[in-house]
């Protein structure tokens, strides 16, 4: 009898041990550390030390407990390309930085899953959101106009139009970005396409001798410009506000051309088959909140989509708004960029 009791005890303990092991295994699986992390692909000026990324990650962690890992790519085009390459083995949850010139390519690639952040319809104006579409694949988070920025300490006069950039006085004086890897680079192509239309290729042929460098991303080109390597650089109307805000330096100024300027609307989206869709959606809700958007003017140097954000004084001093915004066509822009880059080497 005792022997049977002993054997029964052993069997009972064994069953309990197996059950405990299974339970612990399930607990271990449910505590996957990846589910406490949100991975975001974006461009270097967003993720970097002086961009909004670090502060956004800090606030979001405090509010939700999620850790945000911003993966810095050279530019938004590079972030998009990486996401496409990983389409069958998705590593990131959210992509940030897709603008209206990339929007169709992003949608056609099949990397996005529809999700409209909480309160987006009341926060983002219909005019701004329409640039990215209303299908829920991308949501606008900021916007701004492209412009040529001029160094007032240079020896050359300020140009008054895009056509002026082809003049001999600007030989090797202009810094641009590669439209294949940079959204400001593609934005400049959109600008020239909108202004010159069928004569766009002629403009670029005349412009080529005046291009000092065509960098792969905005940060590299802007750094060269700030270091005085050229007196003209493609950037945003808001860019000189940084120097005014933090250095009280009015050396760099935005040039407003009568012919008009092209607007950029930047958006973000949920990646299809994201490893952490719940965390991704929480981050997407957060990014257009007033608290998150407050970080953008003095780190992103763009206009936030949330109208409750109070803009700094430096914007009214050094970030003029163009009176005329030009209409652009994404397909025409991308076709022009392909032709331009194909011809530049032979001209």
């Amino acid at each position: 009898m005792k022997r049977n009791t002993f054997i029964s005890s052993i069997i009972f303990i064994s069953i309990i041990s197996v059950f405990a092991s299974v339970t612990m295994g399930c607990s271990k699986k449910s505590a996957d550390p990846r589910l406490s992390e949100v991975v975001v692909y974006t461009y270097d000026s967003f993720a970097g030390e002086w961009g909004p990324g670090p502060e956004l990650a800090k606030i979001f962690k405090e509010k939700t407990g999620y850790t945000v890992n911003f993966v810095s790519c050279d530019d938004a085009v590079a972030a998009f390309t990486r996401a496409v390459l990983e389409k069958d083995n998705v590593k990131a949850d959210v992509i940030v930085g897709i603008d209206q010139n990339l929007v169709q390519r992003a949608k056609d690639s099949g990397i996005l899953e529809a999700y409209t952040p909480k309160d987006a319809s009341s926060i983002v104006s219909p005019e701004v959101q329409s640039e990215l579409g209303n299908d829920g694949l991308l949501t606008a988070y900021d916007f701004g106009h492209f412009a040529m920025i001029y160094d007032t300490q240079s020896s050359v006069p300020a140009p008054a139009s895009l056509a002026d950039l082809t003049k001999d006085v600007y030989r090797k004086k202009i810094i641009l970005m590669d439209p294949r890897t940079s959204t400001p680079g593609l934005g400049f192509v959109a600008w020239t396409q909108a202004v010159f239309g069928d004569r766009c290729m002629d403009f670029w042929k005349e412009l080529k001798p005046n291009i000092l460098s065509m960098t792969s991303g905005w940060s590299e080109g802007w750094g060269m410009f700030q270091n005085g390597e050229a007196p003209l650089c493609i950037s945003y109307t808001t860019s000189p506000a940084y120097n005014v805000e933090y250095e009280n330096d009015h050396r760099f100024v935005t040039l407003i051309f009568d012919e008009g300027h092209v607007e950029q609307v930047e958006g973000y989206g949920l990646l299809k088959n994201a490893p952490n869709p719940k965390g991704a959606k929480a981050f997407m809700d957060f990014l257009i909140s007033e608290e998150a958007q407050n970080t953008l003017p003095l780190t992103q140097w763009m206009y936030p989509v949330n109208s409750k954000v109070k803009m700094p004084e430096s914007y009214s001093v050094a970030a003029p708004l163009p009176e005329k915004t030009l209409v652009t066509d994404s397909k025409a822009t991308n076709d022009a960029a392909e032709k331009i880059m194909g011809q530049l080497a032979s001209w």
Side-chain angles (χ1 to χ4, degrees), residues 123-257:
I123 293 174
V124 185
S125 75
E127 293 79 15
V128 171
Q129 182 58 43
S130 66
E131 293 289 341
L132 302 177
N134 297 300
D135 51 14
L137 292 175
L138 289 164
T139 301
Y141 64 90
D142 71 14
F143 62 95
H145 288 81
F146 292 113
M148 295 304 300
I149 310 302
Y150 171 66
D151 184 350
T152 60
Q153 293 185 6
S154 71
S155 59
V156 298
S161 66
L162 283 176
D164 280 354
L165 298 178
T166 63
K167 292 180 177 179
D168 290 344
V169 70
Y170 301 116
R171 190 75 76 220
K172 298 295 181 185
K173 304 290 187 185
I174 300 170
I175 295 172
L176 301 177
M177 289 101 218
D178 190 328
R180 297 167 298 186
T181 56
S182 165
T183 50
L186 194 57
F188 184 73
V189 171
W191 193 7
T192 62
Q193 177 68 25
V195 170
F196 298 108
D198 293 340
R199 297 183 295 108
C200 181
M201 294 298 287
D202 294 332
F203 165 80
W204 275 89
K205 187 174 183 178
E206 295 174 18
L207 180 69
K208 185 191 175 181
N210 294 353
I211 301 173
L212 172 68
S213 180
M214 185 175 276
T215 61
S216 62
W218 177 86
S219 294
E220 180 185 358
W222 185 249
M224 291 176 62
F225 173 69
Q226 294 263 293
N227 289 333
E229 295 186 40
L232 291 163
C233 181
I234 182 64
S235 192
Y236 299 90
T237 59
T238 51
S239 296
Y242 170 88
N243 301 86
V244 172
E245 179 73 27
Y246 290 118
E247 302 167 3
N248 194 28
D249 185 356
H250 296 257
R251 171 180 172 179
F252 305 111
V253 298
T254 297
L255 302 179
I256 298 297
F257 295 163

Side-chain angles (χ1 to χ4, degrees), residues 43-75:
Y43 44 93
D44 53 8
S45 61
F46 190 99
E49 179 183 0
W50 304 109
E55 183 64 17
L56 289 173
K58 178 185 175 184
I59 299 171
F60 187 63
K61 175 78 170 180
E62 292 171 352
K63 289 179 69 70
T64 67
Y66 285 110
T67 298
V68 180
N69 177 15
F70 287 106
V71 177
S72 176
C73 302
D74 197 30
D75 207 285

Side-chain angles (χ1 to χ4, degrees), residues 10-137:
I10 291 175
I11 293 172
F12 177 75
I13 292 170
S14 297
I15 291 171
I16 293 297
S17 298
V18 170
F19 178 77
S21 297
V22 171
T23 305
M24 287 176 66
C26 291
S27 298
K28 199 170 184 180
K29 186 176 181 180
S30 66
D32 181 357
R34 180 63 177 82
L35 297 180
S36 64
E37 177 188 31
V38 179
V39 177
V40 179
Y41 283 178
T42 189
Y43 44 93
D44 53 8
S45 61
F46 190 99
E49 179 183 0
W50 304 109
E55 183 64 17
L56 289 173
K58 178 185 175 184
I59 299 171
F60 187 63
K61 175 78 170 180
E62 292 171 352
K63 289 179 69 70
T64 67
Y66 285 110
T67 298
V68 180
N69 177 15
F70 287 106
V71 177
S72 176
C73 302
D74 197 30
D75 207 285
V77 180
F80 163 66
T81 301
R82 180 168 179 173
V84 171
L85 291 173
E86 296 175 354
K87 181 179 176 180
D88 296 327
N89 184 24
V90 182
K91 303 261 194 326
D93 302 301
V94 177
I95 186 165
V96 170
I98 303 295
D99 71 1
Q100 69 267 43
N101 291 316
L102 275 178
V103 66
Q104 198 55 54
R105 288 166 60 188
K107 292 181 179 182
D108 291 345
S109 72
I111 65 170
L112 299 170
E113 181 174 324
Y115 177 71
T116 301
K118 182 182 178 182
D119 298 328
S121 60
S122 61
I123 293 174
V124 185
S125 75
E127 293 79 15
V128 171
Q129 182 58 43
S130 66
E131 293 289 341
L132 302 177
N134 297 300
D135 51 14
L137 292 175

Side-chain angles (χ1 to χ4, degrees), residues 312-332:
E313 180 65 23
S314 56
Y315 273 63
S316 62
V317 172
L321 283 169
E323 293 185 6
K324 182 178 180 181
T325 296
L326 300 171
V327 176
T328 62
D329 179 85
S330 176
K331 186 179 185 306

